[in-house]
Structure formats: C-alpha cells, structure tokens
Amino acid sequence: MGPKHIFILLTVVVPIIFAVHTNNWVVIADASRYWFNYRHVANALSIYYSVKRLGIPDSHIILMLSDDMACNPRNPTSAQIFNNRDRHVQIYPEDVEVDYRDSEVTVENFFRVLTDRLPEGTPRSKRLMSDENSNILVYLTGHGGDGFLKFQDTEEMNAMELSDVFQQMHEKKRYNELLFMIDTCQAGSMALPIYSPNIIGVGSSSVGQDSLSHHGDHEIGVYVIDRWTYFTLDFLEKVQPNSKAKLNQLFHVFSTADVRSTPQYSNLALFKRPLNDVLITDFFGSVRQTVLFDQKVTPLNSSKVVSEDLQSSEHVQLASTSQLPF
C-alpha cells in the first residue's frame, strides 16, 4: 500500500471592516457676487438655515459667501436677507458664521477646504475636519455652463477638476458618504463626471438647460431664490431632526413642471446604499448616537471590568435623536 497523503485545508479568516457613520459636515459655497445675484446668496443661506435647524452646529459647517448682500447699500432691509417675498424667515441671523467671504471665496480655497490642504495656522473654524466616518453635504450655487461654475466672474471651476478633488477626498479617507448638490445652469455637467465611490451628485438642470429663478421681491428689486433650491427648502421645512424622510423622497419633488428644468444625476451605481434607505438627516441633520447598556460596568481603572449580571446582547437597547445610519 502506497504512502497516504494527508491534505490539510487551512482557512484564513480576513476581518471585514465596515465604515460607520458617526458625524456630519456641510460645505456651502455661493460663487457669485454683485447685487443682481442676491438669489445665489439666498440659496446658500437657505441651505445653511436648514441644516442648522436640523441640528448641525456651525463648528461642522463651512460657509463661503462671495458677496455681503446683508450690508449692501442697495439692501432696503439692512443686515437682513430673505428668500421669500413674504419675509417670514430671516436667513441671515445675528449668529451667522461666515467662514470665507468676498475675495476669500476662490476655486483654490474651495478645493483646499475639501482636501484639507490649507496653509499652516489656518484656524479650525475654516477647516473641514472630516474623516472616514463623516457624511458630507457639499452645496454650490452660482452661474455656470457646460462643465464649469464661475467664481466671482473672474475664474471657473472645471467639472473634471472637481471630480478629481472628490477622488482625492476618497483616497485620503475624508468621507464615508458624500452628497453633492449644485444649483446653476447646466448643473448636471458638474455631476456627471464624478467617478469616486459613495458619492451622489445632483444638479438642478441637465446639460443644455438653464436653471431658473423662482420669484422676486419688488422692494428689494431682484429675484430672491432659484426654483430648484426653493423646492428643496420647501421639502426640508417639513423635516424634523428625528424624521424618517428619505433622500429619494427629496429627489421626487424635483418635477420638471415645478423646477422647469430636468435635474441630472451622477452615476448612482457608485453609491452603495439604495436611495430609499438613505435618511435626509444622514446629510442634512446632526448625528447623535446613544447606546444604553442594560448592565453594570465598573470604572476603567478597576480590575473588575463588568459585573456578574451581564445580559445577552439582544437585550441591548438603542436610543438616538436620529436614525442609526445602517
């Protein structure tokens, strides 16, 4: 009888690490200056007002405004900005924190904020201190065209450059998920080139289409908000911090009849979760997770770590002010 061959099957266990959503950040940029672009500042401040109402603090918001409309001598409501002719909401509160204003709002500074390649000594208030567990909302508004967004009428942001910056953010583990929204003419051209994972890009209008204003204020003398942002704000005003509203519900309000343009999206296959599983508050609200253990624990400096009456894991209770992100 020949020698016996014994085969041993070795099993290698490779741990799988899942990203956990623990914090939210927001970057809002108005790229237009001059009084007749009042609506672009109002667009940006409308998003700022919404995310603050839903619990995101100023410490997690980077706000960039190209012009100081509140103090413009043409403004009949000095030190105030409104996004509706009824003026029921003042969206430029006394405690507003503008991180970059006027000449500081440039393509270079915007890219540096996203990639955290800022000069040494830049204060924390001007930095996007995100990490691999961060969900980030990036909102842009201004004048644009096919594949570009103008900054202050002096320079342009290129769509491919922006996509490459998002890829740098991915490589540097600066986000868990990212929602990119842009309100400008031919806005979809800024979202289409996105190729990085876990990013949703949506533009207010498709390539070849204009993005239109919603209504004006006769006393102020200009349009006060754009249509796409108006309907975004109208939806968000019905959302509360503990809301179960989903992102696909927001996208459904962007009807061509109301917006008068056709919103255009990036490649949604790059985003791992179905949109009907993504809570609005995953991007527009604050994340506060509290885990309550039905057991006794001792201080970390004690030799006895837990008491003898530990209960099984299925009895662990969860309580939070927003849905857990899974």
Side-chain angles (χ1 to χ4, degrees):
M1 180 179 293
K4 294 182 178 179
H5 297 279
I6 301 175
F7 296 92
I8 300 176
L9 179 62
L10 298 178
T11 302
V12 178
V13 179
V14 179
I16 301 176
I17 301 174
F18 295 94
V20 178
H21 171 206
T22 62
N23 60 93
N24 283 359
W25 286 82
V26 181
V27 179
I28 302 169
D30 153 47
S32 298
R33 63 183 306 113
Y34 306 123
W35 177 248
F36 56 84
N37 291 318
Y38 180 104
R39 68 189 183 279
H40 294 155
V41 175
N43 288 346
L45 288 171
S46 295
I47 301 300
Y48 173 79
Y49 168 83
S50 295
V51 297
K52 284 201 67 176
R53 184 183 64 81
L54 291 173
I56 299 182
D58 276 307
S59 60
H60 279 225
I61 303 172
I62 304 296
L63 180 59
M64 310 176 79
L65 300 181
S66 291
D67 208 338
D68 189 359
M69 296 301 178
C71 296
N72 191 298
R74 296 184 182 182
N75 188 358
T77 59
S78 181
Q80 296 180 318
I81 294 178
F82 298 93
N83 57 11
N84 193 294
R85 65 166 67 96
D86 295 333
R87 303 183 189 175
H88 63 279
V89 177
Q90 206 283 96
I91 56 175
Y92 193 78
E94 292 183 359
D95 63 347
V96 63
E97 293 187 17
V98 182
D99 302 292
Y100 294 81
R101 64 169 72 242
D102 300 335
S103 61
E104 292 181 317
V105 183
T106 64
V107 175
E108 178 181 354
N109 280 342
F110 180 75
F111 285 167
R112 285 185 178 276
V113 166
L114 293 183
T115 58
D116 198 30
R117 292 179 173 172
L118 291 161
E120 185 177 353
T122 300
R124 292 175 62 91
S125 61
K126 289 193 170 191
R127 295 180 61 191
L128 178 65
M129 307 287 288
S130 61
D131 55 38
E132 60 187 348
N133 300 317
S134 305
N135 276 15
I136 304 176
L137 167 65
V138 178
Y139 175 89
L140 286 172
T141 183
H143 289 290
D146 189 356
F148 69 89
L149 175 70
K150 292 197 297 184
F151 268 64
Q152 311 231 30
D153 278 347
T154 59
E155 59 177 342
E156 296 175 356
M157 174 193 293
N158 181 278
M160 285 307 304
E161 291 176 341
L162 178 61
S163 298
D164 290 342
V165 165
F166 285 150
Q167 178 61 19
Q168 289 180 42
M169 294 179 70
H170 167 64
E171 293 172 355
K172 297 177 68 175
K173 297 182 179 181
R174 288 185 52 73
Y175 70 87
N176 170 50
E177 294 173 334
L178 191 150
L179 173 60
F180 169 57
M181 303 180 71
I182 178 168
D183 193 347
T184 185
C185 294
Q186 307 194 61
S189 65
M190 298 295 291
L192 288 175
I194 294 173
Y195 57 91
S196 303
N198 261 3
I199 297 182
I200 301 172
V202 54
S204 58
S205 54
S206 297
V207 176
Q209 293 182 339
D210 292 333
S211 187
L212 303 177
S213 305
H214 187 267
H215 71 274
D217 182 311
H218 291 298
E219 183 181 359
I220 294 176
V222 291
Y223 286 98
V224 293
I225 195 169
D226 282 323
R227 300 193 71 86
W228 189 69
T229 298
Y230 174 88
F231 287 103
T232 300
L233 180 63
D234 184 61
F235 179 89
L236 293 176
E237 285 181 341
K238 303 177 181 69
V239 175
Q240 299 302 319
N242 61 349
S243 172
K244 290 181 170 58
K246 304 298 177 59
L247 193 60
N248 66 319
Q249 294 175 277
L250 170 61
F251 291 168
H252 285 162
V253 307
F254 300 147
S255 69
T256 301
D258 289 331
V259 180
R260 298 185 185 174
S261 60
T262 305
Q264 199 163 22
Y265 301 85
S266 60
N267 182 3
L268 297 180
L270 293 171
F271 197 78
K272 295 180 181 178
R273 291 196 288 160
L275 296 187
N276 58 4
D277 285 345
V278 182
L279 292 169
I280 288 293
T281 50
D282 283 351
F283 291 99
F284 291 88
S286 180
V287 176
R288 285 178 172 81
Q289 302 179 19
T290 304
V291 180
L292 301 181
F293 293 92
D294 189 14
Q295 61 191 36
K296 295 180 180 179
V297 295
T298 56
L300 292 177
N301 60 356
S302 173
S303 59
K304 188 174 183 180
V305 179
V306 293
S307 67
E308 297 176 355
D309 61 344
L310 291 178
Q311 299 187 13
S312 59
S313 60
E314 64 263 22
H315 294 126
V316 174
Q317 300 176 357
L318 298 178
S320 65
T321 58
S322 63
Q323 282 292 104
L324 295 178
F326 45 78

